Amino acid sequence: MKRLFTSESVTEGHPDKLCDYISDSILDAYLEQDPYSRVACETVAGKGQILVTGEITSKADIDIEKIVRKTIAEIGFDNSQTDIDYKTCNVLLNISKQSSDIALGVDKSLEQKSGLKEESEGAGDQGMMFGFATDETETFMPMPIFLAHKLAKRLADVRKEKIIDYIRPDGKVQVTVEYEKDKPKRIDTIVVSTQHLETVDLDKLKKDIKEKVINPILPNELLDEYTKYYINPTGRFVIGGPLGDSGLTGRKIIVDTYGGYSRHGGGAFSGKDPTKVDRSAAYMARFIAKNIVANGFARKCEIQLSYAIGVAQPVSIYVDTFGTGKIPESDIVKIIKNKFNLTPKGIIETLNLRTPIYKKTTNYGHFGKNDLSWEKIIKLV
């Protein structure tokens, strides 16, 4: 049976990703000075204005406004007439300390209060987190999001390297892959929309994007005469960034994870320190799922972890191998319990999450990058 599946990715100049990048830049700055900083930092971007809000408890002394302007400049926004200017935009701050009620459960878990002293930290929130892996790409990511991220990154690279010197930071891509018997067969549709200077000819833009962005990235064996290309299908994309659309931290959770191919628990990542299991447990779930597949126990694997606020141990562990498992899923659960410490403290220590690594995660997916600790392949048995 043939079926089509589509995933999208966005460049770092997309207004939501601008906000994610600011929030993670602030988080990294705090962790660099104080690894035990508690950060829940969100950013809102609108016309000529950035608002940073949230709860931060830390010994670090950080100039947040300076970080905001530096981050906007890194992305390449410098024109208030078409997007936002890092030099002149208004930066507003609304920061308070972490709620003492939340800190109660994080500082001392329910297990520790009950006399189990080894369980020293509770989860920073309740919720469920999913991790996923498949053997259909070398990064153990689904093919549609794997290709979409590569295209989006290439779109940013050709701008920064001035290979195409008339495009601006905002951009989106979308890739539709045709599957046959549950395996990627061909690319059916490619969509690329990029912000550009007003003076550019649309035909030239379409030609340049096809030749310099799409062709160097997508594998020829997956393209054919029936592959459809939509490049700036509206015909004009001059106004972009926060001027074209408001931005908000945490609004690109499907781009950040598996492109819709796997389930999502609903929690966003950027701007959150690792005591927030929304982020850290999602990283651990990916770590486990990837290693289940890499160790040959299944060709495809989805893991769910769930937590209660203030409780160290997960409430539940769920495994689905979609009929591809080489051993029973109940045995995989036993391997997980024996091999992995799933408390917040255990996750943080296993994945070394108190270090300022989070800016590296913000763009082009939090998963599938081999230099991140949760992407490491280990021997499970």
Side-chain angles (χ1 to χ4, degrees), residues 32-146:
E32 193 167 7
Q33 289 189 25
D34 176 8
Y36 291 89
S37 296
R38 299 274 175 83
V39 180
C41 170
E42 299 194 1
T43 304
V44 183
K47 180 181 178 181
Q49 185 163 283
I50 301 291
L51 166 65
V52 179
T53 186
E55 300 78 45
I56 299 175
T57 301
S58 177
K59 297 175 182 176
D61 182 16
I62 302 298
D63 186 338
I64 294 178
E65 180 177 343
K66 184 177 179 180
I67 291 172
V68 170
R69 295 190 188 279
K70 182 175 181 289
T71 303
I72 298 171
E74 279 180 31
I75 290 172
F77 281 131
D78 57 7
N79 190 331
S80 61
Q81 302 304 306
T82 59
D83 28 68
I84 194 168
D85 186 345
Y86 72 94
K87 299 184 295 294
T88 62
C89 66
N90 190 21
V91 178
L92 304 177
L93 305 179
N94 180 25
I95 304 293
S96 58
K97 290 190 175 183
Q98 182 183 66
S99 161
S100 57
D101 293 345
I102 295 174
L104 263 178
V106 178
D107 293 339
K108 186 179 287 190
S109 69
L110 182 66
E111 291 94 333
Q112 188 178 14
K113 292 170 186 174
S114 303
L116 301 175
K117 294 184 179 180
E118 68 273 14
E119 309 292 7
S120 59
E121 293 180 354
D125 203 353
Q126 71 176 50
M128 63 279 191
M129 300 83 209
F130 287 92
F132 181 79
T134 172
D135 65 359
E136 63 190 52
T137 63
E138 65 263 30
T139 60
F140 296 89
M141 291 291 285
M143 182 68 78
I145 191 66
F146 171 74

Side-chain angles (χ1 to χ4, degrees), residues 9-302:
S9 184
V10 300
T11 65
E12 57 255 49
H14 185 283
D16 293 331
K17 273 293 147 201
L18 166 65
C19 293
D20 285 344
Y21 197 52
I22 290 171
S23 294
D24 275 336
S25 296
I26 293 168
L27 171 62
D28 275 358
Y30 274 97
L31 291 177
E32 193 167 7
Q33 289 189 25
D34 176 8
Y36 291 89
S37 296
R38 299 274 175 83
V39 180
C41 170
E42 299 194 1
T43 304
V44 183
K47 180 181 178 181
Q49 185 163 283
I50 301 291
L51 166 65
V52 179
T53 186
E55 300 78 45
I56 299 175
T57 301
S58 177
K59 297 175 182 176
D61 182 16
I62 302 298
D63 186 338
I64 294 178
E65 180 177 343
K66 184 177 179 180
I67 291 172
V68 170
R69 295 190 188 279
K70 182 175 181 289
T71 303
I72 298 171
E74 279 180 31
I75 290 172
F77 281 131
D78 57 7
N79 190 331
S80 61
Q81 302 304 306
T82 59
D83 28 68
I84 194 168
D85 186 345
Y86 72 94
K87 299 184 295 294
T88 62
C89 66
N90 190 21
V91 178
L92 304 177
L93 305 179
N94 180 25
I95 304 293
S96 58
K97 290 190 175 183
Q98 182 183 66
S99 161
S100 57
D101 293 345
I102 295 174
L104 263 178
V106 178
D107 293 339
K108 186 179 287 190
S109 69
L110 182 66
E111 291 94 333
Q112 188 178 14
K113 292 170 186 174
S114 303
L116 301 175
K117 294 184 179 180
E118 68 273 14
E119 309 292 7
S120 59
E121 293 180 354
D125 203 353
Q126 71 176 50
M128 63 279 191
M129 300 83 209
F130 287 92
F132 181 79
T134 172
D135 65 359
E136 63 190 52
T137 63
E138 65 263 30
T139 60
F140 296 89
M141 291 291 285
M143 182 68 78
I145 191 66
F146 171 74
L147 295 176
H149 284 326
K150 289 187 74 172
L151 267 186
K153 187 173 187 309
R154 175 66 180 174
L155 187 58
D157 288 344
V158 298
R159 171 179 62 87
K160 292 175 179 178
E161 296 169 17
K162 300 192 183 304
I163 296 170
I164 304 178
D165 61 4
Y166 55 79
I167 60 176
R168 295 287 293 166
D170 197 354
K172 301 177 78 170
V173 306
Q174 190 170 286
V175 178
T176 301
V177 173
E178 180 182 312
Y179 284 78
E180 187 172 347
K181 295 181 180 178
D182 209 33
K183 292 184 180 296
K185 182 183 178 184
R186 57 181 290 275
I187 297 171
D188 183 80
T189 308
I190 302 157
V191 183
V192 178
S193 295
T194 181
Q195 186 187 6
H196 58 83
L197 298 179
E198 190 167 15
T199 53
V200 70
D201 176 73
L202 184 61
D203 289 334
K204 175 176 171 53
L205 182 145
K206 289 183 176 181
K207 180 174 180 291
D208 284 346
I209 294 297
K210 179 84 159 39
E211 292 180 355
K212 298 173 183 178
V213 176
I214 296 173
N215 289 348
I217 293 297
L218 298 186
N220 287 329
E221 63 269 20
L222 293 179
L223 301 170
D224 59 31
E225 59 184 309
Y226 302 108
T227 301
K228 298 179 284 293
Y229 300 86
Y230 297 104
I231 299 171
N232 277 38
T234 65
R236 177 184 166 91
F237 187 0
V238 174
I239 305 298
L243 188 58
D245 192 9
S246 61
L248 180 65
T249 298
R251 210 157 46 178
K252 281 288 173 282
I253 58 175
I254 300 303
V255 171
D256 287 343
T257 52
Y258 307 100
Y261 201 94
S262 172
R263 282 172 280 198
H264 195 293
F269 299 156
S270 290
K272 295 179 181 177
D273 76 79
T275 66
K276 281 73 174 175
V277 285
D278 274 345
R279 185 169 210 164
S280 55
Y283 291 171
M284 178 57 93
R286 162 63 178 177
F287 184 49
I288 296 169
K290 180 174 181 177
N291 277 284
I292 294 299
V293 176
N295 279 261
F297 295 122
R299 290 192 301 104
K300 188 185 293 187
C301 182
E302 183 178 73

